[in-house]
Amino acid sequence: MSSTEQGTSSAAPAEPTTAPESAAAPEVPESFYYVHGKDKVVHKVSAGALQHSALIHGMISNLGYTEEQAKANPFPFENIDGDILQMVVDWCNQHKGKPTPPEDTNLPKQKEKLFDLVLAVNYLEIKELLTYCCKQVAMMVKGKSPEEIREIWMIPTDAEDEAAEKEAKKRAGKEAAGETAAAAGDAK
Amino acid sequence: MTSLDQMPAVVLNLVLENCEFREIVVLRKVCKSLRNFIDSTAPDLKLPCIILKVYDSNITINYGNDLNIRYQKFENGVGVCLQEDNKFTVLENANLLDVVFVDLKFALTFQKSKMDQFTLRWDLKENFDTGDFVGRLGNILESNPLSTRAFHMEAHNQTEILSLLSKLDSQSLEELWIFNPDKQNPGGFFYLDRVVELDQWKNIKSIGIPTFSISEHLLPKFAHIVWSVLNFEEISFGGVVALKNALLRSPTFQICDFYYKTLKATDEQVEEEFGVPQVETRGKKWFLNIEGSEQILGIVQEKYTVYSRFLFSKTDPNPVPENEEDHIIED
């Protein structure tokens, strides 16, 4: 291999470069897209940052929008709360083009926000962030008893659940009985 | 508010992947939907070990990472507690073994990754059907071969060893220790003839049977073992010579340390076979050349009042001082 191939590289000549810097590639003007959540607040995000979301990346990869078209057609994510979308956008911006760190300590500590974030991230298919969030959920389970977990996440006990189910069944049963009776009546 | 039990399967799986054994057990007890999810996806428990100790009226299971569960027989049922806090949860009218086996079944069938150690020990003074206990344990392992690097067992007979050893993942098992459950009176003969025929035996690298005596006729089956500690009530001179020859040919062997009560040979016979020894305070030493290898076979014989010892080891020739090279004999 000829050493002149890397002649234009801006890397320090004394240090033998292990891999050519991506900066050597021709600069392409960065494109931006717009997203909004339930609160309709529009966020301007670069395509580079949005690459973290497999869902959005798939949507924009063949779109070829001009700046004006992108601005006029923000992606609506009506199922995501505004503050949660803001968190996601911030995370994508912070980790744009960077390898993600093994630990991410900036995740919300409140369980309500964390769960909503998990759902949003899962929907937007942001793999690394989802992994961090799930680690965080696992951390919250650590050292707790089943009762404490039920309390924290307001999960009904099996007994409460069964009572609710029984009630629902009873209602369904009554309705079904009503229907059969009606059907029987029809048949007559 | 969205809750844990309403999370999509992808999310729950990721959460469980990041949970350890204790958290998975706890989540399984939170509600029916989480329990069903865990039972249907069977997440790996990533346990480092399972160490079972059976006493007359209690059983402890150590799952590693300082997690010790104790099951205690009570008049009205069974108490279960974390060894560290000793706060018992009492299961009324329950049977000790039934409770233990429900938990063991969960741990042994969900565990998928390779553990470092699986151990079964006894400390019994009263009548206890150990065969039945081992049989029940073996039945659990039947459907899910346990992957463990080491297996240690206090066994009353070969059948007990076979019940468990034959069900361990033969590709993972590297180390086997068999102990006499009677710690006060070690010794006695242990049949191994069926154990050495198992697939699991072929991949074992180290083996220790220090408190039982085994048959010298099985020694050729130990030639592939890298590291072994053995015990013989009585060993013939032919047995020692056959072992030496097998070790000289073995590409894998490193150390074979065996204890014996009686060696059916005179010192003259030994020296005729191994050559003139290097005599030290505690015993004799020989160094034999290994054909086709730069290493040499070191043999140490030490004599004590009850048990004496032969230690065979493959070593580099460097430790032999120059003036003692005369003692190295050609094999």
Side-chain angles (χ1 to χ4, degrees):
Chain A
M1 197 180 88
S2 155
S3 61
T4 54
E5 279 175 20
Q6 290 177 26
T8 52
S9 168
S10 59
E15 202 97 85
T17 46
T18 48
E21 291 283 325
S22 59
E27 281 281 328
V28 180
E30 198 169 24
S31 48
F32 286 89
Y33 292 87
Y34 298 81
V35 294
H36 72 75
K38 208 181 269 176
D39 62 357
K40 307 274 189 237
V41 175
V42 176
H43 305 269
K44 182 184 178 186
V45 201
S46 72
L50 287 176
Q51 269 197 346
H52 282 291
S53 161
L55 178 80
I56 302 179
H57 183 67
M59 287 158 85
I60 62 178
S61 53
N62 291 315
L63 221 49
Y65 269 175
T66 60
E67 176 69 24
E68 286 72 34
Q69 282 172 315
K71 206 167 193 171
N73 299 292
F75 293 111
F77 295 111
E78 304 284 355
N79 52 345
I80 302 176
D81 281 340
D83 56 341
I84 299 290
L85 189 65
Q86 178 76 58
M87 275 185 218
V88 174
V89 166
D90 289 347
W91 189 90
C92 289
N93 279 329
Q94 279 164 18
H95 296 90
K96 180 179 138 191
K98 282 186 215 159
T100 37
E103 290 300 327
D104 202 314
T105 49
N106 294 327
L107 298 175
K109 296 282 181 286
Q110 317 101 295
K111 56 184 193 290
E112 296 88 352
K113 290 270 178 270
L114 183 60
F115 274 3
D116 288 343
L117 183 64
V118 167
L119 287 180
V121 168
N122 181 49
Y123 176 73
L124 295 170
E125 297 172 53
I126 307 176
K127 214 177 138 208
E128 290 95 340
L129 186 53
L130 185 63
T131 307
Y132 296 140
C133 291
C134 290
K135 260 189 195 169
Q136 182 92 2
V137 175
M139 285 295 290
M140 289 166 80
V141 172
K142 235 183 181 116
K144 303 223 167 44
S145 67
E147 293 74 28
E148 285 170 317
I149 294 172
R150 249 179 249 136
E151 212 168 285
I152 294 168
W153 283 305
M154 297 194 288
I155 300 171
T157 61
D158 285 346
E160 289 165 353
D161 223 21
E162 261 161 39
E165 218 168 87
K166 229 180 214 173
E167 189 61 35
K169 241 185 208 165
K170 221 162 139 192
R171 225 178 299 131
K174 264 184 198 163
E175 277 163 24
E179 271 170 33
T180 1
D186 284 351
K188 273 181 189 171
Chain B
M1 185 187 103
T2 320
S3 189
L4 189 62
D5 58 331
Q6 294 155 359
M7 286 283 154
V10 181
V11 172
L12 275 180
N13 275 326
L14 263 175
V15 171
L16 290 171
E17 259 174 48
N18 286 290
C19 284
E20 289 182 11
F21 174 66
R22 193 172 174 168
E23 284 81 61
I24 295 174
V25 170
V26 166
L27 284 175
R28 213 172 151 265
K29 288 180 181 168
V30 167
C31 65
K32 216 191 255 173
S33 64
L34 276 175
R35 184 167 60 248
N36 290 343
F37 185 82
I38 290 170
D39 287 351
S40 63
T41 54
D44 180 19
L45 303 177
K46 302 181 281 285
L47 290 170
C49 64
I50 295 180
I51 297 172
L52 268 165
K53 285 185 196 165
V54 182
Y55 303 84
D56 288 316
S57 57
N58 74 77
I59 293 173
T60 62
I61 309 177
N62 176 349
Y63 291 106
N65 301 333
D66 294 328
L67 184 61
N68 287 288
I69 313 286
R70 186 165 166 190
Y71 304 81
Q72 177 84 43
K73 216 182 253 178
F74 283 163
E75 254 178 38
N76 58 340
V78 178
V80 186
C81 76
L82 280 171
Q83 196 113 319
E84 63 195 38
D85 62 15
N86 225 22
K87 282 183 210 147
F88 282 102
T89 304
V90 180
L91 306 165
E92 280 183 31
N93 304 320
N95 171 286
L96 176 67
L97 291 185
D98 291 345
V99 174
V100 167
F101 277 108
V102 164
D103 283 8
L104 274 176
K105 190 173 180 183
F106 169 73
L108 291 169
T109 49
F110 278 41
Q111 173 68 21
K112 288 178 203 75
S113 51
K114 183 171 161 181
M115 294 198 305
D116 187 60
Q117 194 182 330
F118 176 47
T119 295
L120 173 58
R121 312 186 67 172
W122 319 93
D123 196 345
L124 300 166
K125 285 166 194 73
E126 294 163 18
N127 222 358
F128 189 102
D129 191 347
T130 57
D132 173 65
F133 187 93
V134 172
R136 285 175 81 170
L137 202 51
N139 284 344
I140 296 174
L141 296 175
E142 192 93 58
S143 53
N144 186 49
L146 188 67
S147 179
T148 177
R149 186 195 62 81
F151 174 48
H152 298 185
M153 181 176 181
E154 289 180 357
H156 297 85
N157 50 53
Q158 179 168 234
T159 312
E160 285 188 0
I161 282 281
L162 285 169
S163 299
L164 303 184
L165 182 62
S166 63
K167 281 144 201 163
L168 302 180
D169 175 39
S170 61
Q171 295 303 313
S172 308
L173 192 69
E174 294 176 22
E175 182 185 305
L176 172 67
W177 281 83
I178 302 172
F179 298 96
N180 191 333
D182 188 350
K183 286 133 206 147
Q184 308 304 322
N185 306 295
F189 189 79
F190 198 88
Y191 285 94
L192 268 187
D193 54 317
R194 287 159 68 203
V195 168
V196 298
E197 298 304 328
L198 290 176
D199 272 350
Q200 283 79 359
W201 183 265
K202 296 182 186 113
N203 293 322
I204 289 174
K205 292 188 179 71
S206 52
I207 183 155
I209 312 174
T211 48
F212 274 124
S213 174
I214 59 166
S215 161
E216 68 171 72
H217 301 298
L218 295 175
L219 279 174
K221 297 281 185 189
F222 286 76
H224 71 287
I225 307 271
V226 179
W227 189 96
S228 53
V229 176
L230 305 172
N231 182 343
F232 301 91
E233 281 289 307
E234 188 178 89
I235 187 159
S236 73
F237 186 55
V240 177
V241 173
L243 176 67
K244 179 209 73 175
N245 291 335
L247 297 179
L248 281 171
R249 283 192 303 270
S250 165
T252 44
F253 146 81
Q254 286 296 330
I255 285 178
C256 177
D257 192 359
F258 78 79
Y259 294 80
Y260 61 91
K261 265 188 185 163
T262 316
L263 170 67
K264 289 192 279 182
T266 61
D267 286 351
E268 289 72 34
Q269 272 178 301
V270 174
E271 286 183 21
E272 201 175 303
E273 179 67 28
F274 294 166
V276 182
Q278 177 186 323
V279 181
E280 296 187 347
T281 36
R282 292 173 78 186
K284 299 172 183 169
K285 262 187 188 172
W286 293 268
F287 297 97
L288 309 186
N289 285 326
I290 302 171
E291 213 179 296
S293 166
E294 296 205 339
Q295 287 193 302
I296 52 170
L297 177 67
I299 305 174
V300 176
Q301 186 188 22
E302 292 172 355
K303 289 185 180 173
Y304 301 101
T305 38
V306 183
Y307 277 99
S308 295
R309 173 195 193 201
F310 263 118
L311 171 68
F312 293 82
S313 63
K314 227 182 241 179
T315 50
D316 291 324
N318 308 349
V320 192
E322 259 182 29
N323 58 350
E324 270 146 21
E325 264 187 0
D326 303 342
H327 298 308
I328 298 182
I329 55 159
E330 292 292 324
D331 183 58

